[in-house]
Amino acid sequence: MGLEDDALEYHRRDPPGKLEIATTKPTNTQRDLSLAYSPGVAGPCREIDADPTDAFEYTSKGNLVAVVSDGSATLGLGDIGPLASKPVMEGKGVLFKRFADIDVFDLEVDVGSAEEMIGVVEALEPTFGGVNLEDIAAPACFRVEEHLKDSLSIPVFHDDQHGTAIISGAALLNATDILGKAIDDLEVVFSGAGASAIATARFFESLGVPASGITMVDSGGIVTADRAAAGDVNEYKAEFASDRPAGDLAEAMVGADVFVGLSVGGIVDPEMVAAMAEDPIVFPMANPDPEIDYPAAKAAGEGTTVVATGRSDYPNQVNNVLGFPFIFRGALDARARTINEEMKVAAAQALAALAREDVPDAVVKAYGGEAIQFGPEYVIPKPLDPRVLFEVAPAVARAAIESGTARQQPDLDTYVEGLEARLGKSREMMRVVLNKAKSDPKRVVLAEGNDDAMLRAAYQLADRSIADPVLVGDREWIRSSAERLGLSFTPEVVDLDDEDVERYADRLYELRKRKGVTRREARDLLANGDYLASVMVEVGDADAMLTGATNHYPSALRPPLEVIGTAPDAEYAAGVYMLTFRNQVLFLADTTVNPDPDAEVLTEITRHTATLARRFNVDPRAALLSYSDFGSVDDERTHAPREAARRLRADPEVQFPVDGEMQADTAVLREILTGTYEFSALDDPANVLLFPNLEAGNIAYKLLQTLGGAGTVGPMLAGMNRPVHVVQRGDDVEDIVNLAGVAVVDAQAAKHRQK
């Protein structure tokens, strides 16, 4: 089957289309329904009648965007009418929801003129928080947007005009910087003079390109002042009429610094690119086929050539999904009256700045696994980079506030936390921990400093002020690797040849000489970075350590257990995963360390896990799990969780509710827990789950992660004498940074206990 057949099957599979409406409040009981509709709904109606701004508090208006089209310029299909354009508009809704958690109604309107469309959209203003105009042919699109921006009090945005302008504008900012060109001295040639080209030319002016440096070429050749005077071009093209002589595209491109293609494929040949200025910037963005292919453009330019197209199979894809979801997110959250030029410029600048940052592993993997670094092949972020939301939306909201179009001012210091919550509970929970870490960063030693992921994690920890990282490894190798990876910092490194290593060898010998380790063997053991890092933590030269990126979990855990050991009040360490769902957080233990815990071990690791939950500002409620509910099965396998629960309930120092043994559904479902077992010590579902053995815990967290769609953080090691965490082999940089943040918070708590 080809792509088109696959797409047809994708769209017709039950339920047809790509969108549905889902409820956001409970509708399970008669009372729920009476609150959702009659008679309860009268209350918010009266409040909104008295104060229309209350619609943002009591309805979905503030997070609802209309995607409106007449189908007159649908993708590369032309005027196919409103009904045939519906799959595109539904797709636009998918992108709004997927990337910025914005709800959409797609509205395909059968109108005969720009004035009719204006009337339809104006009549619908009470429903929506914003309007995204889509696939409307020029010049009607200009009239529709201009009128609606004046007449409506909500943001109106024609993505076909401004989306391409903003994304290519971000690429232009970085391309000029890489090539050392001054933006106010550029000669820019546009192939095409439709809505996108005109909006992009206007936006380039907003970024600093002089109007005198812009030449526009349509199917009749260069748009000249003579053509404008003769009425050969419409008023919008006439805005960019040039005083230069008449000519074709090839003549226009001679000596130009920048080519912007928003026309048709295949109309530019290598000779035309070769005739441009040295170090040209070439943006052939016609879809699906660019004006000139990426490889041909790269090869043809003199010097270094920066090329960006609309295609996903080449570097530097100018994809509108980098813009509209996040621009609307910021505009909606500031309740902006409009999306103005300041907000669009802020979006482009935020995108340009993000492209200069280290790229997350998840993004690298999504694009084939090859390194992605700022440079000619990477001047704009990738569309699947989740950080775009956290950079662009706040920049847009700030610009809305500063330019005076905002009707509310979100706290920009905490705004990102709310945005992260929209992308998943795990991000929200980790933000709590990382903010704690930033309040008092600690020294965290990364045992595998020669590993690129550990090195990149160290850079992020330092750059984001989460921790003061120390890398164990070959100093020369690590620092050259930092340069190779484009990491602008000088990492602190402990090398095996450093003088301090002898002191660490002495300490390791003292700790292990009664375990059969000689002084020479102690020195040799330090060649293993896990031992060296462990001793650094044990003697207080570091506050915490991370390892495991290149070793099996048991091998990585052994050195810190031998050197650092468990806490004074602990005999056992435990591995804990935090699993996050849309509205629920669970801590699962033990998932990595203890194979077959007895009642004593279960009792202790329950305490450890509850303490860890509090690090995330979660009040623990613990359940000891089994295949038995409160004695329904009585055999040796149910005794341990039952006895552990009894011990914990009887201990006055345990300041959290705990019960068991119980089945997993009993522990997490309120209707079973409080409906059937009203005697339980838990009056709310458990959020700390203790498994009867390692096998059950490991299976459970992997099933919940894979089939249940849970976000995961961990494994976190609880019960150690000093903060130690062992990442899993293959964990990405974000995982390492998150665990380092947990380690810092652990170290903060340890310091507090010592006072």
Side-chain angles (χ1 to χ4, degrees):
M1 293 177 67
L3 179 62
E4 183 162 345
D5 290 331
D6 289 343
L8 292 172
E9 175 59 27
Y10 174 89
H11 282 79
R12 68 169 160 249
R13 193 164 59 233
D14 254 355
K18 299 185 286 284
L19 299 175
E20 67 176 4
I21 294 175
T23 59
T24 60
K25 302 294 189 300
T27 56
N28 300 319
T29 67
Q30 177 59 38
R31 178 168 174 75
D32 290 340
L33 295 177
S34 70
L35 293 172
Y37 195 54
S38 181
V41 75
C45 289
R46 283 191 287 267
E47 294 295 314
I48 295 168
D49 183 45
D51 182 356
T53 63
D54 279 349
F56 291 97
E57 182 174 353
Y58 295 115
T59 77
S60 63
K61 177 182 174 73
N63 197 51
L64 187 62
V65 166
V67 172
V68 183
S69 180
D70 62 358
S72 59
T74 305
L75 295 179
L77 303 174
D79 186 356
I80 61 174
L83 183 59
S85 75
K86 186 172 177 63
V88 177
M89 305 312 134
E90 284 189 352
K92 199 78 171 187
V94 169
L95 299 179
F96 267 108
K97 189 66 176 178
R98 162 64 176 80
F99 289 100
D101 194 31
I102 293 173
D103 296 318
V104 161
F105 287 158
D106 59 291
L107 303 175
E108 296 75 32
V109 294
D110 190 358
V111 293
S113 67
E115 288 66 34
E116 283 187 55
M117 175 169 281
I118 289 168
V120 168
V121 178
E122 286 179 332
L124 289 168
E125 181 182 6
T127 303
F128 298 100
V131 176
N132 183 95
L133 301 172
E134 192 74 18
D135 291 350
I136 302 169
C141 63
F142 296 113
R143 295 201 301 274
V144 171
E145 186 190 38
E146 289 169 1
H147 185 102
L148 291 175
K149 288 182 73 170
D150 289 338
S151 67
L152 301 186
S153 61
I154 57 176
V156 178
F157 186 81
H158 185 206
D159 187 45
D160 298 304
Q161 293 183 54
H162 309 299
T164 300
I166 291 166
I167 314 309
S168 62
L172 182 71
L173 291 174
N174 279 338
T176 53
D177 182 67
I178 290 168
L179 299 175
K181 291 177 179 279
I183 200 164
D184 59 0
D185 195 35
L186 293 178
E187 294 289 335
V188 184
V189 173
F190 280 82
S191 174
S196 292
I198 290 169
T200 301
R202 288 173 174 172
F203 188 67
F204 280 16
E205 285 186 283
S206 297
L207 295 178
V209 176
S212 60
I214 294 175
T215 299
M216 193 164 284
V217 182
D218 65 5
S219 58
I222 296 173
V223 176
T224 63
D226 289 342
R227 289 181 63 193
D232 185 40
V233 296
N234 63 41
E235 60 184 295
Y236 302 103
K237 294 183 186 181
E239 180 182 340
F240 293 97
S242 171
D243 290 331
R244 67 187 296 169
D248 59 15
L249 180 61
E251 292 170 300
M253 289 177 64
V254 174
D257 297 289
V258 183
F259 167 79
V260 179
L262 290 162
S263 51
V264 294
I267 63 171
V268 174
D269 58 40
E271 289 73 21
M272 295 163 71
V273 174
M276 295 176 67
E278 186 177 2
D279 301 327
I281 299 168
V282 184
F283 293 169
M285 296 181 289
N287 261 322
D289 299 314
E291 286 81 359
I292 181 171
D293 282 341
Y294 184 96
K298 286 286 288 185
E302 182 179 347
T304 301
T305 306
V306 175
V307 182
T309 72
R311 292 181 55 143
S312 61
D313 52 347
Y314 294 135
N316 297 326
Q317 183 191 13
V318 178
N319 190 324
N320 285 15
V321 78
L322 282 168
F324 67 86
F326 316 109
I327 293 167
F328 267 100
R329 180 77 273 157
L332 291 174
D333 292 339
R335 292 190 194 168
R337 295 177 179 84
T338 186
I339 295 173
N340 57 29
E341 203 67 13
E342 292 90 339
M343 294 159 73
K344 290 183 285 185
V345 169
Q349 291 173 338
L351 285 169
L354 181 58
R356 299 165 183 263
E357 300 295 327
D358 186 45
V359 181
D361 284 352
V363 177
V364 174
K365 291 175 183 176
Y367 289 90
E370 295 185 9
I372 301 173
Q373 292 178 240
F374 180 65
E377 278 71 51
Y378 179 65
V379 296
I380 42 178
K382 298 292 187 181
L384 292 178
D385 192 332
R387 301 173 301 165
V388 177
L389 174 63
F390 312 136
E391 299 298 328
V392 175
V396 170
R398 180 179 289 105
I401 294 168
E402 292 175 353
S403 64
T405 190
R407 284 173 290 193
Q408 75 171 14
Q409 296 192 13
D411 182 352
L412 295 177
D413 291 334
T414 60
Y415 181 43
V416 172
E417 296 177 25
L419 294 175
E420 288 194 328
R422 290 183 176 277
L423 290 192
K425 195 73 174 175
S426 59
R427 286 183 173 273
E428 179 183 6
M429 300 302 294
M430 279 311 308
R431 174 61 63 173
V432 171
V433 168
L434 295 178
N435 282 343
K436 287 183 179 180
K438 290 177 181 180
S439 69
D440 185 17
K442 302 296 181 185
R443 282 172 63 82
V444 177
V445 57
L446 308 180
E448 298 151 304
N450 289 355
D451 178 69
D452 280 0
M454 282 289 189
L455 177 55
R456 290 173 54 219
Y459 168 74
Q460 290 197 22
L461 291 169
D463 186 61
R464 296 161 61 184
S465 301
I466 296 169
D468 299 322
V470 183
L471 293 156
V472 173
D474 184 300
R475 182 175 286 104
E476 184 177 344
W477 173 270
I478 289 172
R479 290 184 175 171
S480 65
S481 294
E483 185 175 348
R484 169 176 55 84
L485 294 170
L487 306 177
S488 55
F489 84 133
T490 302
E492 181 180 351
V493 179
V494 173
D495 192 298
L496 191 62
D497 294 329
D498 292 346
E499 290 184 6
D500 269 353
V501 171
E502 295 306 319
R503 177 167 61 91
Y504 297 143
D506 290 341
R507 180 56 181 163
L508 182 58
Y509 172 61
E510 286 298 316
L511 292 169
R512 302 296 294 170
K513 65 185 179 184
R514 296 281 183 178
K515 302 292 184 181
V517 176
T518 67
R519 174 60 174 76
R520 174 177 289 183
E521 288 171 336
R523 182 62 172 80
D524 291 343
L525 282 174
L526 294 184
N528 179 337
D530 292 336
Y531 278 102
L532 182 50
S534 297
V535 178
M536 289 179 64
V537 172
E538 200 274 339
V539 302
D541 287 351
D543 300 297
M545 73 170 280
L546 255 67
T547 185
T550 61
N551 289 315
H552 290 294
Y553 194 91
S555 299
L557 179 58
R558 185 177 301 110
L561 279 175
E562 291 178 356
V563 176
I564 297 171
T566 56
D569 60 347
E571 293 292 332
Y572 309 97
V576 182
Y577 269 96
M578 182 178 73
L579 270 61
T580 59
F581 303 87
R582 184 173 180 85
N583 295 306
Q584 190 174 20
V585 179
L586 298 175
F587 293 85
L588 276 59
D590 180 5
T591 54
T592 61
V593 180
N594 299 286
D596 193 18
D598 59 17
E600 181 180 356
V601 178
L602 285 172
T603 300
E604 187 173 309
I605 65 176
T606 302
R607 295 172 184 268
H608 297 332
T609 310
T611 299
L612 180 61
R614 289 194 174 101
R615 301 268 197 275
F616 290 85
N617 291 354
V618 172
D619 292 328
R621 299 183 299 274
L624 281 295
L625 300 184
S626 177
Y627 59 90
S628 166
D629 272 324
F630 306 104
S632 62
V633 177
D634 189 18
D635 62 27
E636 61 180 14
R637 286 172 293 184
T638 64
H639 290 171
R642 188 184 309 157
E643 174 61 16
R646 187 197 66 76
R647 292 182 186 184
L648 289 160
R649 289 198 306 274
D651 188 342
E653 293 186 1
V654 173
Q655 299 296 309
F656 57 89
V658 57
D659 213 340
E661 84 286 10
M662 67 180 72
Q663 295 183 13
D665 55 348
T666 301
V668 299
L669 292 178
R670 184 187 303 276
E671 53 266 35
I672 299 178
L673 183 65
T674 60
T676 305
Y677 303 104
E678 69 281 354
F679 57 82
S680 173
L682 298 176
D683 55 6
D684 277 313
N687 51 28
V688 172
L689 304 181
L690 283 300
F691 288 86
N693 55 55
L694 181 60
E695 185 177 28
N698 193 270
I699 290 170
Y701 99 77
K702 289 187 175 179
L703 281 174
L704 287 169
Q705 179 185 23
T706 304
L707 299 181
T712 62
V713 175
M716 296 171 279
L717 199 57
M720 295 293 290
N721 192 31
R722 300 285 181 87
V724 175
H725 292 296
V726 180
V727 303
Q728 298 277 34
R729 290 179 71 180
D731 278 357
D732 63 22
V733 172
E734 183 179 12
D735 296 322
I736 299 170
V737 169
N738 285 342
L739 278 180
V742 174
V744 170
V745 175
D746 289 343
Q748 291 170 347
K751 181 179 179 181
H752 180 75
R753 288 193 300 269
Q754 293 168 5
K755 289 183 178 179

